[in-house]
mmCIF file of all heavy atoms in Angstrom:
data_model
loop_
_atom_site.group_PDB
_atom_site.id
_atom_site.type_symbol
_atom_site.label_atom_id
_atom_site.label_comp_id
_atom_site.label_asym_id
_atom_site.label_seq_id
_atom_site.Cartn_x
_atom_site.Cartn_y
_atom_site.Cartn_z
ATOM 1 N N PHE A 60 48.763 61.148 -125.908
ATOM 2 C CA PHE A 60 48.341 59.932 -126.439
ATOM 3 C C PHE A 60 48.793 59.621 -127.797
ATOM 4 O O PHE A 60 49.429 58.534 -128.144
ATOM 5 C CB PHE A 60 46.778 59.671 -126.363
ATOM 6 C CG PHE A 60 46.341 58.291 -126.791
ATOM 7 C CD1 PHE A 60 46.559 57.136 -126.052
ATOM 8 C CD2 PHE A 60 45.601 58.244 -127.965
ATOM 9 C CE1 PHE A 60 46.035 55.948 -126.544
ATOM 10 C CE2 PHE A 60 45.104 56.988 -128.377
ATOM 11 C CZ PHE A 60 45.389 55.924 -127.663
ATOM 12 N N TYR A 61 48.746 60.551 -128.745
ATOM 13 C CA TYR A 61 49.238 60.514 -130.042
ATOM 14 C C TYR A 61 50.769 60.302 -130.119
ATOM 15 O O TYR A 61 51.321 59.563 -130.850
ATOM 16 C CB TYR A 61 48.816 61.830 -130.835
ATOM 17 C CG TYR A 61 49.255 61.695 -132.236
ATOM 18 C CD1 TYR A 61 48.648 60.889 -133.185
ATOM 19 C CD2 TYR A 61 50.289 62.472 -132.741
ATOM 20 C CE1 TYR A 61 48.939 60.818 -134.550
ATOM 21 C CE2 TYR A 61 50.620 62.404 -134.085
ATOM 22 C CZ TYR A 61 49.978 61.558 -134.923
ATOM 23 O OH TYR A 61 50.442 61.464 -136.234
ATOM 24 N N ILE A 62 51.522 61.099 -129.240
ATOM 25 C CA ILE A 62 53.028 60.891 -129.151
ATOM 26 C C ILE A 62 53.395 59.453 -128.854
ATOM 27 O O ILE A 62 54.174 58.848 -129.330
ATOM 28 C CB ILE A 62 53.562 61.946 -128.238
ATOM 29 C CG1 ILE A 62 53.408 63.333 -128.902
ATOM 30 C CG2 ILE A 62 55.017 61.590 -127.949
ATOM 31 C CD1 ILE A 62 53.883 64.441 -128.028
ATOM 32 N N ILE A 63 52.659 58.878 -127.740
ATOM 33 C CA ILE A 63 52.907 57.561 -127.227
ATOM 34 C C ILE A 63 52.580 56.579 -128.423
ATOM 35 O O ILE A 63 53.391 55.685 -128.693
ATOM 36 C CB ILE A 63 52.085 57.309 -126.081
ATOM 37 C CG1 ILE A 63 52.639 58.012 -124.881
ATOM 38 C CG2 ILE A 63 52.091 55.817 -125.759
ATOM 39 C CD1 ILE A 63 51.741 58.010 -123.648
ATOM 40 N N MET A 64 51.519 56.747 -129.148
ATOM 41 C CA MET A 64 51.182 55.816 -130.292
ATOM 42 C C MET A 64 52.299 55.946 -131.338
ATOM 43 O O MET A 64 52.700 54.951 -131.909
ATOM 44 C CB MET A 64 49.773 56.193 -130.827
ATOM 45 C CG MET A 64 48.617 55.721 -130.086
ATOM 46 S SD MET A 64 47.007 55.852 -131.022
ATOM 47 C CE MET A 64 47.254 57.180 -132.139
ATOM 48 N N ALA A 65 52.783 57.168 -131.625
ATOM 49 C CA ALA A 65 53.791 57.323 -132.666
ATOM 50 C C ALA A 65 55.068 56.575 -132.248
ATOM 51 O O ALA A 65 55.814 56.162 -133.073
ATOM 52 C CB ALA A 65 54.035 58.749 -132.889
ATOM 53 N N MET A 66 55.441 56.787 -130.912
ATOM 54 C CA MET A 66 56.684 56.160 -130.570
ATOM 55 C C MET A 66 56.670 54.623 -130.506
ATOM 56 O O MET A 66 57.704 53.962 -130.697
ATOM 57 C CB MET A 66 57.071 56.713 -129.151
ATOM 58 C CG MET A 66 57.356 58.087 -128.976
ATOM 59 S SD MET A 66 57.724 58.853 -127.448
ATOM 60 C CE MET A 66 59.239 58.026 -126.987
ATOM 61 N N LYS A 67 55.426 54.109 -130.398
ATOM 62 C CA LYS A 67 55.280 52.639 -130.361
ATOM 63 C C LYS A 67 55.223 52.055 -131.744
ATOM 64 O O LYS A 67 55.272 50.761 -131.967
ATOM 65 C CB LYS A 67 54.185 52.198 -129.549
ATOM 66 C CG LYS A 67 54.312 52.350 -127.969
ATOM 67 C CD LYS A 67 53.298 51.796 -127.268
ATOM 68 C CE LYS A 67 53.461 52.024 -125.766
ATOM 69 N NZ LYS A 67 52.347 51.450 -124.925
ATOM 70 N N GLU A 68 54.997 52.877 -132.721
ATOM 71 C CA GLU A 68 54.932 52.455 -134.126
ATOM 72 C C GLU A 68 56.197 51.809 -134.665
ATOM 73 O O GLU A 68 57.271 52.433 -134.510
ATOM 74 C CB GLU A 68 54.624 53.737 -135.032
ATOM 75 C CG GLU A 68 54.346 53.323 -136.375
ATOM 76 C CD GLU A 68 52.930 53.330 -136.851
ATOM 77 O OE1 GLU A 68 51.987 53.546 -135.978
ATOM 78 O OE2 GLU A 68 52.682 52.972 -137.983
ATOM 79 N N PRO A 69 56.100 50.538 -135.124
ATOM 80 C CA PRO A 69 57.429 50.004 -135.645
ATOM 81 C C PRO A 69 57.758 50.685 -136.891
ATOM 82 O O PRO A 69 56.987 51.186 -137.640
ATOM 83 C CB PRO A 69 57.007 48.621 -135.884
ATOM 84 C CG PRO A 69 55.550 48.633 -136.140
ATOM 85 C CD PRO A 69 54.929 49.779 -135.291
ATOM 86 N N PRO A 70 59.143 50.776 -137.158
ATOM 87 C CA PRO A 70 59.650 51.449 -138.367
ATOM 88 C C PRO A 70 59.136 50.518 -139.515
ATOM 89 O O PRO A 70 59.290 49.358 -139.530
ATOM 90 C CB PRO A 70 61.135 51.396 -138.245
ATOM 91 C CG PRO A 70 61.443 50.441 -137.187
ATOM 92 C CD PRO A 70 60.141 50.301 -136.376
ATOM 93 N N SER A 71 58.651 51.201 -140.615
ATOM 94 C CA SER A 71 58.088 50.459 -141.688
ATOM 95 C C SER A 71 59.173 49.924 -142.678
ATOM 96 O O SER A 71 59.017 48.905 -143.303
ATOM 97 C CB SER A 71 57.175 51.401 -142.475
ATOM 98 O OG SER A 71 57.810 52.543 -143.020
ATOM 99 N N ARG A 72 60.316 50.616 -142.692
ATOM 100 C CA ARG A 72 61.322 50.206 -143.584
ATOM 101 C C ARG A 72 62.668 50.857 -143.104
ATOM 102 O O ARG A 72 62.667 51.828 -142.427
ATOM 103 C CB ARG A 72 61.135 50.512 -145.037
ATOM 104 C CG ARG A 72 60.985 51.994 -145.296
ATOM 105 C CD ARG A 72 60.592 52.231 -146.654
ATOM 106 N NE ARG A 72 60.338 53.664 -146.925
ATOM 107 C CZ ARG A 72 60.994 54.471 -147.647
ATOM 108 N NH1 ARG A 72 62.013 54.017 -148.328
ATOM 109 N NH2 ARG A 72 60.767 55.761 -147.687
ATOM 110 N N GLN A 73 63.772 50.384 -143.529
ATOM 111 C CA GLN A 73 65.021 50.948 -143.189
ATOM 112 C C GLN A 73 65.344 52.057 -144.239
ATOM 113 O O GLN A 73 65.085 51.952 -145.367
ATOM 114 C CB GLN A 73 66.194 49.925 -143.352
ATOM 115 C CG GLN A 73 66.078 48.755 -142.309
ATOM 116 C CD GLN A 73 66.483 49.333 -140.940
ATOM 117 O OE1 GLN A 73 67.145 50.239 -140.802
ATOM 118 N NE2 GLN A 73 65.883 48.679 -139.969
ATOM 119 N N HIS A 74 65.822 53.195 -143.713
ATOM 120 C CA HIS A 74 66.098 54.240 -144.518
ATOM 121 C C HIS A 74 67.399 54.038 -145.391
ATOM 122 O O HIS A 74 68.440 53.575 -144.842
ATOM 123 C CB HIS A 74 66.301 55.491 -143.761
ATOM 124 C CG HIS A 74 65.009 55.937 -142.965
ATOM 125 N ND1 HIS A 74 64.033 56.537 -143.691
ATOM 126 C CD2 HIS A 74 64.675 55.831 -141.661
ATOM 127 C CE1 HIS A 74 62.961 56.719 -142.769
ATOM 128 N NE2 HIS A 74 63.390 56.308 -141.559
ATOM 129 N N GLN A 75 67.298 54.259 -146.676
ATOM 130 C CA GLN A 75 68.349 53.972 -147.545
ATOM 131 C C GLN A 75 68.903 55.370 -148.115
ATOM 132 O O GLN A 75 68.008 56.097 -148.493
ATOM 133 C CB GLN A 75 68.026 53.150 -148.813
ATOM 134 C CG GLN A 75 67.499 51.679 -148.292
ATOM 135 C CD GLN A 75 68.645 50.860 -147.673
ATOM 136 O OE1 GLN A 75 69.809 50.982 -148.085
ATOM 137 N NE2 GLN A 75 68.320 50.110 -146.691
ATOM 138 N N PRO A 76 70.198 55.543 -148.244
ATOM 139 C CA PRO A 76 70.724 56.764 -148.801
ATOM 140 C C PRO A 76 70.451 56.830 -150.292
ATOM 141 O O PRO A 76 70.179 55.724 -150.918
ATOM 142 C CB PRO A 76 72.167 56.792 -148.458
ATOM 143 C CG PRO A 76 72.467 55.336 -148.173
ATOM 144 C CD PRO A 76 71.220 54.717 -147.727
ATOM 145 N N ASP A 77 70.483 57.998 -150.879
ATOM 146 C CA ASP A 77 70.244 58.188 -152.294
ATOM 147 C C ASP A 77 71.403 57.507 -153.069
ATOM 148 O O ASP A 77 72.609 57.726 -152.749
ATOM 149 C CB ASP A 77 70.297 59.751 -152.506
ATOM 150 C CG ASP A 77 70.030 59.979 -154.051
ATOM 151 O OD1 ASP A 77 69.333 59.214 -154.689
ATOM 152 O OD2 ASP A 77 70.423 61.108 -154.462
ATOM 153 N N PRO A 78 71.151 56.721 -154.019
ATOM 154 C CA PRO A 78 72.139 55.937 -154.840
ATOM 155 C C PRO A 78 73.113 56.862 -155.508
ATOM 156 O O PRO A 78 74.263 56.595 -155.608
ATOM 157 C CB PRO A 78 71.310 55.114 -155.820
ATOM 158 C CG PRO A 78 69.935 55.057 -155.236
ATOM 159 C CD PRO A 78 69.769 56.321 -154.545
ATOM 160 N N SER A 79 72.648 58.027 -156.135
ATOM 161 C CA SER A 79 73.694 58.945 -156.775
ATOM 162 C C SER A 79 74.474 59.563 -155.718
ATOM 163 O O SER A 79 75.726 59.781 -156.017
ATOM 164 C CB SER A 79 72.857 60.064 -157.464
ATOM 165 O OG SER A 79 72.085 60.753 -156.540
ATOM 166 N N PHE A 80 74.097 59.875 -154.498
ATOM 167 C CA PHE A 80 74.984 60.383 -153.461
ATOM 168 C C PHE A 80 76.010 59.284 -153.041
ATOM 169 O O PHE A 80 77.232 59.583 -152.986
ATOM 170 C CB PHE A 80 74.144 60.713 -152.199
ATOM 171 C CG PHE A 80 75.002 61.060 -151.036
ATOM 172 C CD1 PHE A 80 75.681 62.401 -150.943
ATOM 173 C CD2 PHE A 80 75.172 60.273 -149.951
ATOM 174 C CE1 PHE A 80 76.404 62.764 -150.079
ATOM 175 C CE2 PHE A 80 75.939 60.617 -148.926
ATOM 176 C CZ PHE A 80 76.604 61.911 -148.903
ATOM 177 N N LEU A 81 75.621 57.998 -152.965
ATOM 178 C CA LEU A 81 76.544 56.947 -152.624
ATOM 179 C C LEU A 81 77.671 56.845 -153.654
ATOM 180 O O LEU A 81 78.807 56.598 -153.476
ATOM 181 C CB LEU A 81 75.784 55.605 -152.469
ATOM 182 C CG LEU A 81 75.101 55.429 -151.186
ATOM 183 C CD1 LEU A 81 74.500 54.069 -151.120
ATOM 184 C CD2 LEU A 81 76.125 55.390 -150.004
ATOM 185 N N ALA A 82 77.169 56.911 -154.964
ATOM 186 C CA ALA A 82 78.101 56.733 -156.157
ATOM 187 C C ALA A 82 79.122 57.832 -156.120
ATOM 188 O O ALA A 82 80.366 57.699 -156.201
ATOM 189 C CB ALA A 82 77.388 56.735 -157.451
ATOM 190 N N GLU A 83 78.736 59.123 -155.799
ATOM 191 C CA GLU A 83 79.580 60.346 -155.757
ATOM 192 C C GLU A 83 80.553 60.152 -154.623
ATOM 193 O O GLU A 83 81.751 60.447 -154.580
ATOM 194 C CB GLU A 83 78.898 61.605 -155.698
ATOM 195 C CG GLU A 83 78.133 61.944 -156.963
ATOM 196 C CD GLU A 83 77.305 63.290 -156.770
ATOM 197 O OE1 GLU A 83 77.535 63.933 -155.887
ATOM 198 O OE2 GLU A 83 76.435 63.432 -157.533
ATOM 199 N N ALA A 84 80.091 59.617 -153.461
ATOM 200 C CA ALA A 84 80.823 59.462 -152.245
ATOM 201 C C ALA A 84 81.899 58.389 -152.326
ATOM 202 O O ALA A 84 83.039 58.607 -152.076
ATOM 203 C CB ALA A 84 80.025 59.139 -151.015
ATOM 204 N N LYS A 85 81.574 57.314 -153.090
ATOM 205 C CA LYS A 85 82.603 56.311 -153.330
ATOM 206 C C LYS A 85 83.618 56.755 -154.298
ATOM 207 O O LYS A 85 84.804 56.337 -154.201
ATOM 208 C CB LYS A 85 81.802 55.026 -153.880
ATOM 209 C CG LYS A 85 80.985 54.255 -152.759
ATOM 210 C CD LYS A 85 80.320 53.057 -153.376
ATOM 211 C CE LYS A 85 79.600 52.383 -152.237
ATOM 212 N NZ LYS A 85 78.793 51.195 -152.873
ATOM 213 N N ALA A 86 83.151 57.526 -155.356
ATOM 214 C CA ALA A 86 84.125 58.052 -156.276
ATOM 215 C C ALA A 86 85.098 58.977 -155.643
ATOM 216 O O ALA A 86 86.263 58.954 -155.879
ATOM 217 C CB ALA A 86 83.463 58.741 -157.418
ATOM 218 N N SER A 87 84.639 59.823 -154.757
ATOM 219 C CA SER A 87 85.592 60.740 -153.923
ATOM 220 C C SER A 87 86.460 60.035 -153.122
ATOM 221 O O SER A 87 87.576 60.489 -152.957
ATOM 222 C CB SER A 87 84.804 61.789 -153.207
ATOM 223 O OG SER A 87 84.168 61.280 -152.208
ATOM 224 N N ILE A 88 86.005 58.915 -152.533
ATOM 225 C CA ILE A 88 86.874 58.186 -151.627
ATOM 226 C C ILE A 88 88.057 57.396 -152.405
ATOM 227 O O ILE A 88 89.115 57.238 -151.961
ATOM 228 C CB ILE A 88 86.113 57.152 -150.783
ATOM 229 C CG1 ILE A 88 85.277 57.967 -149.729
ATOM 230 C CG2 ILE A 88 86.973 56.178 -149.980
ATOM 231 C CD1 ILE A 88 84.316 57.101 -149.074
ATOM 232 N N SER A 89 87.640 56.878 -153.603
ATOM 233 C CA SER A 89 88.547 56.151 -154.457
ATOM 234 C C SER A 89 89.591 56.922 -155.032
ATOM 235 O O SER A 89 90.583 56.438 -155.522
ATOM 236 C CB SER A 89 87.770 55.338 -155.505
ATOM 237 O OG SER A 89 87.211 56.169 -156.392
ATOM 238 N N GLN A 90 89.514 58.344 -155.025
ATOM 239 C CA GLN A 90 90.573 59.131 -155.558
ATOM 240 C C GLN A 90 91.741 59.016 -154.683
ATOM 241 O O GLN A 90 91.689 58.583 -153.478
ATOM 242 C CB GLN A 90 90.042 60.627 -155.612
ATOM 243 C CG GLN A 90 89.079 60.923 -156.549
ATOM 244 C CD GLN A 90 88.607 62.334 -156.501
ATOM 245 O OE1 GLN A 90 89.049 63.065 -155.595
ATOM 246 N NE2 GLN A 90 87.766 62.796 -157.424
ATOM 247 N N SER A 91 92.988 59.340 -155.158
ATOM 248 C CA SER A 91 94.203 59.102 -154.389
ATOM 249 C C SER A 91 94.034 60.020 -153.114
ATOM 250 O O SER A 91 93.720 61.140 -153.144
ATOM 251 C CB SER A 91 95.382 59.553 -155.159
ATOM 252 O OG SER A 91 95.539 60.984 -155.194
ATOM 253 N N PRO A 92 94.397 59.416 -151.957
ATOM 254 C CA PRO A 92 94.376 60.101 -150.762
ATOM 255 C C PRO A 92 95.332 61.216 -150.693
ATOM 256 O O PRO A 92 95.239 62.212 -149.935
ATOM 257 C CB PRO A 92 94.690 59.057 -149.713
ATOM 258 C CG PRO A 92 95.231 57.858 -150.405
ATOM 259 C CD PRO A 92 94.755 57.982 -151.838
ATOM 260 N N ARG A 93 96.320 61.272 -151.530
ATOM 261 C CA ARG A 93 97.366 62.321 -151.606
ATOM 262 C C ARG A 93 96.701 63.604 -152.092
ATOM 263 O O ARG A 93 97.234 64.689 -151.676
ATOM 264 C CB ARG A 93 98.457 61.824 -152.638
ATOM 265 C CG ARG A 93 99.712 62.639 -152.603
ATOM 266 C CD ARG A 93 100.616 61.963 -151.573
ATOM 267 N NE ARG A 93 101.770 62.900 -151.663
ATOM 268 C CZ ARG A 93 102.376 63.388 -150.633
ATOM 269 N NH1 ARG A 93 101.792 63.275 -149.368
ATOM 270 N NH2 ARG A 93 103.423 64.162 -150.830
ATOM 271 N N ALA A 94 95.682 63.591 -152.926
ATOM 272 C CA ALA A 94 95.077 64.775 -153.429
ATOM 273 C C ALA A 94 94.342 65.600 -152.285
ATOM 274 O O ALA A 94 94.383 66.746 -152.335
ATOM 275 C CB ALA A 94 93.945 64.437 -154.472
ATOM 276 N N HIS A 95 93.968 64.842 -151.248
ATOM 277 C CA HIS A 95 93.200 65.519 -150.130
ATOM 278 C C HIS A 95 94.251 66.139 -149.188
ATOM 279 O O HIS A 95 94.030 67.141 -148.587
ATOM 280 C CB HIS A 95 92.379 64.639 -149.475
ATOM 281 C CG HIS A 95 91.037 64.179 -150.293
ATOM 282 N ND1 HIS A 95 90.165 65.108 -150.721
ATOM 283 C CD2 HIS A 95 90.741 62.998 -150.806
ATOM 284 C CE1 HIS A 95 89.304 64.426 -151.395
ATOM 285 N NE2 HIS A 95 89.630 63.205 -151.610
#
Side-chain angles (χ1 to χ4, degrees):
F60 182 69
Y61 182 72
I62 290 172
I63 291 171
M64 282 191 335
M66 291 176 71
K67 289 185 176 184
E68 180 103 3
S71 59
R72 62 184 170 117
Q73 294 292 331
H74 296 286
Q75 298 294 327
D77 185 26
S79 62
F80 173 77
L81 278 179
E83 290 176 20
K85 287 179 182 177
S87 69
I88 291 173
S89 66
Q90 292 177 352
S91 80
R93 193 88 178 125
H95 294 292

